[in-house]
Amino acid sequence: MKLLASLLLCLFVSVAWAAEGDTPKLDIGKGGQCVRDPQWMRKNHMHLLMHQRDETVRKGNRIEQDGLKNCVECHASLSDNSVIARDDSFCVGCHRYAAVKIDCFECHASKRRTALVMKDGK
Amino acid sequence: MSDLNTQRRQFLKTSLGAAAVAIAPGMLLFDTAHGKAEAGSSKVRWGMLIDTAQCKDGCNDCVTACNKENGLSGGTAATDSQWIRKIELKDIRSGRELSLPMMCQHCEEPPCVDVCPTAASFKRADGIVLVDRHRCIGCRYCMMACPYKARSFVHEPLQDQKPDVPRGKGTVESCTLCVHRLDKGQQNTACAEACKNKAILFGNLNDENSEIAQKIRSVASVQVRADLQLNPGIRYQGL
């Protein structure tokens, strides 16, 4: 019985440890929930963005809340105002973990708008 | 491929179920496929009237304002993006000289849209001709087709783009009539706003009461290369 318990304990601890060790620790910036709940967003943000990009570019329906600009505004790091600058930045951290390449920020601004305005002013 | 059906996937998904239950499937499918009304309304046709008499030789304010608004470098090398440029014209016989801004003419029948193999080059319902960079493969057919030499290709990676104006390497771009401003409800472009001499008048050509429509009715204006019958939205007065 003791053996079984210790075996189980080992198993759980290792599973918990592995989960903790593997998952990316993200700098979520201001964070919070503005579009949908976080679990839904983790799974579906790409569908929102894909829909939004066609609506915006081709039809001119600019739904500010669902746009990439708004995502960056909340989720950019509070220290460097970017979503891609460091390994634990909001977008990069998770995408590296999931091995999904993002090329949004080859065109789109990856920094918080306020940071860019300040840079312009200098 | 005049209009890209952005709802195509959704349509294909829903059409299976819809076809099973609908009594008049044709009607229902038509509605599903066409989705809701467009924000860039076809009641509007954005355009400009440029008064060449007011445009001063050597003044570059519109170009500077455009560069600042859209985050362009301002360089004029062959590989730099220029959305608007000042050109000098001289009538050899009379010696009359003119200096005027030239940019994307936002044609009603845009050749760039005709030749685009991926439907990245497109005309919005309100007459603005744009490049959808999500689809652009950088083939540059549109640059070849444009009689106004209005489009530029981005050759180098860019950093710190304006949040309102995404731009990137490997895509074609040109004047957007400050579409990000118009969609927010502003009624003027950066270049027209910056022009001290009020040489650029921007507005809705379809609205009879707008300043631009009234002026076009009362003064002589021309379209550049009117012989091509592209009906550009940009008109020049005194050319």
PDB file of all heavy atoms in Angstrom, chain B residues 213-232:
ATOM      1  N   ALA B 213     -17.616  68.697 -54.768  1.00  0.00           N
ATOM      2  CA  ALA B 213     -18.551  68.455 -55.875  1.00  0.00           C
ATOM      3  C   ALA B 213     -19.014  69.777 -56.475  1.00  0.00           C
ATOM      4  O   ALA B 213     -19.120  69.927 -57.697  1.00  0.00           O
ATOM      5  CB  ALA B 213     -19.734  67.640 -55.384  1.00  0.00           C
ATOM      6  N   GLN B 214     -19.260  70.754 -55.603  1.00  0.00           N
ATOM      7  CA  GLN B 214     -19.695  72.068 -56.094  1.00  0.00           C
ATOM      8  C   GLN B 214     -18.603  72.729 -56.926  1.00  0.00           C
ATOM      9  O   GLN B 214     -18.868  73.312 -57.975  1.00  0.00           O
ATOM     10  CB  GLN B 214     -20.062  72.973 -54.909  1.00  0.00           C
ATOM     11  CG  GLN B 214     -21.387  72.575 -54.284  1.00  0.00           C
ATOM     12  CD  GLN B 214     -21.718  73.384 -53.046  1.00  0.00           C
ATOM     13  OE1 GLN B 214     -20.891  74.141 -52.551  1.00  0.00           O
ATOM     14  NE2 GLN B 214     -22.923  73.199 -52.538  1.00  0.00           N
ATOM     15  N   LYS B 215     -17.350  72.604 -56.460  1.00  0.00           N
ATOM     16  CA  LYS B 215     -16.250  73.243 -57.180  1.00  0.00           C
ATOM     17  C   LYS B 215     -16.010  72.563 -58.524  1.00  0.00           C
ATOM     18  O   LYS B 215     -15.744  73.232 -59.530  1.00  0.00           O
ATOM     19  CB  LYS B 215     -14.976  73.211 -56.323  1.00  0.00           C
ATOM     20  CG  LYS B 215     -13.978  74.256 -56.776  1.00  0.00           C
ATOM     21  CD  LYS B 215     -12.934  74.542 -55.736  1.00  0.00           C
ATOM     22  CE  LYS B 215     -11.923  75.537 -56.301  1.00  0.00           C
ATOM     23  NZ  LYS B 215     -10.682  75.561 -55.518  1.00  0.00           N
ATOM     24  N   ILE B 216     -16.121  71.236 -58.534  1.00  0.00           N
ATOM     25  CA  ILE B 216     -15.910  70.512 -59.795  1.00  0.00           C
ATOM     26  C   ILE B 216     -16.993  70.888 -60.812  1.00  0.00           C
ATOM     27  O   ILE B 216     -16.755  70.932 -62.018  1.00  0.00           O
ATOM     28  CB  ILE B 216     -15.853  68.995 -59.536  1.00  0.00           C
ATOM     29  CG1 ILE B 216     -14.466  68.630 -59.002  1.00  0.00           C
ATOM     30  CG2 ILE B 216     -16.156  68.187 -60.794  1.00  0.00           C
ATOM     31  CD1 ILE B 216     -14.273  67.196 -58.669  1.00  0.00           C
ATOM     32  N   ARG B 217     -18.175  71.211 -60.314  1.00  0.00           N
ATOM     33  CA  ARG B 217     -19.251  71.651 -61.214  1.00  0.00           C
ATOM     34  C   ARG B 217     -18.956  73.022 -61.798  1.00  0.00           C
ATOM     35  O   ARG B 217     -19.360  73.338 -62.908  1.00  0.00           O
ATOM     36  CB  ARG B 217     -20.590  71.699 -60.466  1.00  0.00           C
ATOM     37  CG  ARG B 217     -21.377  70.405 -60.527  1.00  0.00           C
ATOM     38  CD  ARG B 217     -22.862  70.645 -60.355  1.00  0.00           C
ATOM     39  NE  ARG B 217     -23.177  71.291 -59.103  1.00  0.00           N
ATOM     40  CZ  ARG B 217     -23.306  70.650 -57.946  1.00  0.00           C
ATOM     41  NH1 ARG B 217     -23.147  69.351 -57.902  1.00  0.00           N
ATOM     42  NH2 ARG B 217     -23.603  71.285 -56.842  1.00  0.00           N
ATOM     43  N   SER B 218     -18.234  73.875 -61.026  1.00  0.00           N
ATOM     44  CA  SER B 218     -18.103  75.263 -61.468  1.00  0.00           C
ATOM     45  C   SER B 218     -16.770  75.599 -62.138  1.00  0.00           C
ATOM     46  O   SER B 218     -16.677  76.579 -62.856  1.00  0.00           O
ATOM     47  CB  SER B 218     -18.334  76.209 -60.282  1.00  0.00           C
ATOM     48  OG  SER B 218     -17.388  75.935 -59.277  1.00  0.00           O
ATOM     49  N   VAL B 219     -15.717  74.817 -61.896  1.00  0.00           N
ATOM     50  CA  VAL B 219     -14.434  75.128 -62.538  1.00  0.00           C
ATOM     51  C   VAL B 219     -14.037  74.015 -63.500  1.00  0.00           C
ATOM     52  O   VAL B 219     -14.527  72.893 -63.394  1.00  0.00           O
ATOM     53  CB  VAL B 219     -13.293  75.333 -61.503  1.00  0.00           C
ATOM     54  CG1 VAL B 219     -13.614  76.458 -60.546  1.00  0.00           C
ATOM     55  CG2 VAL B 219     -13.008  74.047 -60.764  1.00  0.00           C
ATOM     56  N   ALA B 220     -13.116  74.366 -64.426  1.00  0.00           N
ATOM     57  CA  ALA B 220     -12.641  73.355 -65.366  1.00  0.00           C
ATOM     58  C   ALA B 220     -11.576  72.505 -64.688  1.00  0.00           C
ATOM     59  O   ALA B 220     -10.607  73.026 -64.142  1.00  0.00           O
ATOM     60  CB  ALA B 220     -12.051  74.035 -66.599  1.00  0.00           C
ATOM     61  N   SER B 221     -11.768  71.203 -64.670  1.00  0.00           N
ATOM     62  CA  SER B 221     -10.759  70.321 -64.093  1.00  0.00           C
ATOM     63  C   SER B 221     -10.541  69.145 -65.036  1.00  0.00           C
ATOM     64  O   SER B 221     -11.425  68.795 -65.810  1.00  0.00           O
ATOM     65  CB  SER B 221     -11.193  69.814 -62.718  1.00  0.00           C
ATOM     66  OG  SER B 221     -12.334  68.998 -62.840  1.00  0.00           O
ATOM     67  N   VAL B 222      -9.349  68.562 -64.972  1.00  0.00           N
ATOM     68  CA  VAL B 222      -9.063  67.414 -65.841  1.00  0.00           C
ATOM     69  C   VAL B 222      -8.582  66.227 -65.021  1.00  0.00           C
ATOM     70  O   VAL B 222      -8.094  66.376 -63.906  1.00  0.00           O
ATOM     71  CB  VAL B 222      -7.988  67.742 -66.905  1.00  0.00           C
ATOM     72  CG1 VAL B 222      -8.468  68.792 -67.864  1.00  0.00           C
ATOM     73  CG2 VAL B 222      -6.680  68.156 -66.246  1.00  0.00           C
ATOM     74  N   GLN B 223      -8.758  65.061 -65.616  1.00  0.00           N
ATOM     75  CA  GLN B 223      -8.166  63.851 -65.068  1.00  0.00           C
ATOM     76  C   GLN B 223      -6.885  63.591 -65.848  1.00  0.00           C
ATOM     77  O   GLN B 223      -6.875  63.737 -67.066  1.00  0.00           O
ATOM     78  CB  GLN B 223      -9.119  62.668 -65.250  1.00  0.00           C
ATOM     79  CG  GLN B 223     -10.472  62.907 -64.613  1.00  0.00           C
ATOM     80  CD  GLN B 223     -11.491  61.865 -65.020  1.00  0.00           C
ATOM     81  OE1 GLN B 223     -11.327  61.168 -66.012  1.00  0.00           O
ATOM     82  NE2 GLN B 223     -12.557  61.764 -64.239  1.00  0.00           N
ATOM     83  N   VAL B 224      -5.823  63.196 -65.157  1.00  0.00           N
ATOM     84  CA  VAL B 224      -4.580  62.892 -65.853  1.00  0.00           C
ATOM     85  C   VAL B 224      -4.770  61.621 -66.670  1.00  0.00           C
ATOM     86  O   VAL B 224      -5.330  60.644 -66.176  1.00  0.00           O
ATOM     87  CB  VAL B 224      -3.423  62.729 -64.843  1.00  0.00           C
ATOM     88  CG1 VAL B 224      -2.130  62.361 -65.563  1.00  0.00           C
ATOM     89  CG2 VAL B 224      -3.231  64.003 -64.059  1.00  0.00           C
ATOM     90  N   ARG B 225      -4.318  61.655 -67.911  1.00  0.00           N
ATOM     91  CA  ARG B 225      -4.523  60.560 -68.855  1.00  0.00           C
ATOM     92  C   ARG B 225      -6.004  60.150 -68.931  1.00  0.00           C
ATOM     93  O   ARG B 225      -6.353  58.974 -68.794  1.00  0.00           O
ATOM     94  CB  ARG B 225      -3.675  59.323 -68.474  1.00  0.00           C
ATOM     95  CG  ARG B 225      -2.186  59.470 -68.670  1.00  0.00           C
ATOM     96  CD  ARG B 225      -1.746  59.796 -70.075  1.00  0.00           C
ATOM     97  NE  ARG B 225      -2.217  58.906 -71.126  1.00  0.00           N
ATOM     98  CZ  ARG B 225      -1.577  57.821 -71.540  1.00  0.00           C
ATOM     99  NH1 ARG B 225      -0.437  57.480 -70.996  1.00  0.00           N
ATOM    100  NH2 ARG B 225      -2.055  57.110 -72.527  1.00  0.00           N
ATOM    101  N   ALA B 226      -6.827  61.156 -69.163  1.00  0.00           N
ATOM    102  CA  ALA B 226      -8.272  60.890 -69.274  1.00  0.00           C
ATOM    103  C   ALA B 226      -8.566  59.947 -70.439  1.00  0.00           C
ATOM    104  O   ALA B 226      -9.585  59.261 -70.450  1.00  0.00           O
ATOM    105  CB  ALA B 226      -9.023  62.201 -69.454  1.00  0.00           C
ATOM    106  N   ASP B 227      -7.614  59.902 -71.415  1.00  0.00           N
ATOM    107  CA  ASP B 227      -7.809  59.052 -72.585  1.00  0.00           C
ATOM    108  C   ASP B 227      -7.866  57.564 -72.234  1.00  0.00           C
ATOM    109  O   ASP B 227      -8.390  56.754 -72.987  1.00  0.00           O
ATOM    110  CB  ASP B 227      -6.681  59.293 -73.596  1.00  0.00           C
ATOM    111  CG  ASP B 227      -5.307  59.074 -72.977  1.00  0.00           C
ATOM    112  OD1 ASP B 227      -5.121  59.474 -71.817  1.00  0.00           O
ATOM    113  OD2 ASP B 227      -4.440  58.484 -73.650  1.00  0.00           O
ATOM    114  N   LEU B 228      -7.339  57.206 -71.071  1.00  0.00           N
ATOM    115  CA  LEU B 228      -7.350  55.795 -70.676  1.00  0.00           C
ATOM    116  C   LEU B 228      -8.704  55.369 -70.104  1.00  0.00           C
ATOM    117  O   LEU B 228      -8.933  54.190 -69.847  1.00  0.00           O
ATOM    118  CB  LEU B 228      -6.251  55.519 -69.634  1.00  0.00           C
ATOM    119  CG  LEU B 228      -4.817  55.751 -70.124  1.00  0.00           C
ATOM    120  CD1 LEU B 228      -3.837  55.606 -68.975  1.00  0.00           C
ATOM    121  CD2 LEU B 228      -4.466  54.770 -71.230  1.00  0.00           C
ATOM    122  N   GLN B 229      -9.565  56.354 -69.874  1.00  0.00           N
ATOM    123  CA  GLN B 229     -10.924  56.100 -69.379  1.00  0.00           C
ATOM    124  C   GLN B 229     -10.955  55.296 -68.078  1.00  0.00           C
ATOM    125  O   GLN B 229     -11.716  54.342 -67.939  1.00  0.00           O
ATOM    126  CB  GLN B 229     -11.751  55.397 -70.449  1.00  0.00           C
ATOM    127  CG  GLN B 229     -11.802  56.210 -71.719  1.00  0.00           C
ATOM    128  CD  GLN B 229     -12.805  55.692 -72.715  1.00  0.00           C
ATOM    129  OE1 GLN B 229     -13.078  54.494 -72.758  1.00  0.00           O
ATOM    130  NE2 GLN B 229     -13.381  56.570 -73.492  1.00  0.00           N
ATOM    131  N   LEU B 230     -10.085  55.688 -67.150  1.00  0.00           N
ATOM    132  CA  LEU B 230     -10.054  55.006 -65.862  1.00  0.00           C
ATOM    133  C   LEU B 230     -10.885  55.749 -64.827  1.00  0.00           C
ATOM    134  O   LEU B 230     -11.120  55.248 -63.743  1.00  0.00           O
ATOM    135  CB  LEU B 230      -8.604  54.903 -65.368  1.00  0.00           C
ATOM    136  CG  LEU B 230      -7.625  54.266 -66.360  1.00  0.00           C
ATOM    137  CD1 LEU B 230      -6.194  54.355 -65.832  1.00  0.00           C
ATOM    138  CD2 LEU B 230      -7.992  52.818 -66.612  1.00  0.00           C
ATOM    139  N   ASN B 231     -11.318  56.945 -65.162  1.00  0.00           N
ATOM    140  CA  ASN B 231     -12.063  57.815 -64.257  1.00  0.00           C
ATOM    141  C   ASN B 231     -11.446  57.916 -62.863  1.00  0.00           C
ATOM    142  O   ASN B 231     -12.031  57.449 -61.883  1.00  0.00           O
ATOM    143  CB  ASN B 231     -13.521  57.352 -64.145  1.00  0.00           C
ATOM    144  CG  ASN B 231     -14.360  58.367 -63.396  1.00  0.00           C
ATOM    145  OD1 ASN B 231     -13.949  59.520 -63.230  1.00  0.00           O
ATOM    146  ND2 ASN B 231     -15.520  57.939 -62.916  1.00  0.00           N
ATOM    147  N   PRO B 232     -10.259  58.531 -62.759  1.00  0.00           N
ATOM    148  CA  PRO B 232      -9.616  58.667 -61.451  1.00  0.00           C
ATOM    149  C   PRO B 232     -10.398  59.591 -60.515  1.00  0.00           C
ATOM    150  O   PRO B 232     -11.111  60.488 -60.979  1.00  0.00           O
ATOM    151  CB  PRO B 232      -8.254  59.272 -61.775  1.00  0.00           C
ATOM    152  CG  PRO B 232      -8.148  59.361 -63.236  1.00  0.00           C
ATOM    153  CD  PRO B 232      -9.484  59.137 -63.828  1.00  0.00           C
TER     154      PRO B 232
END
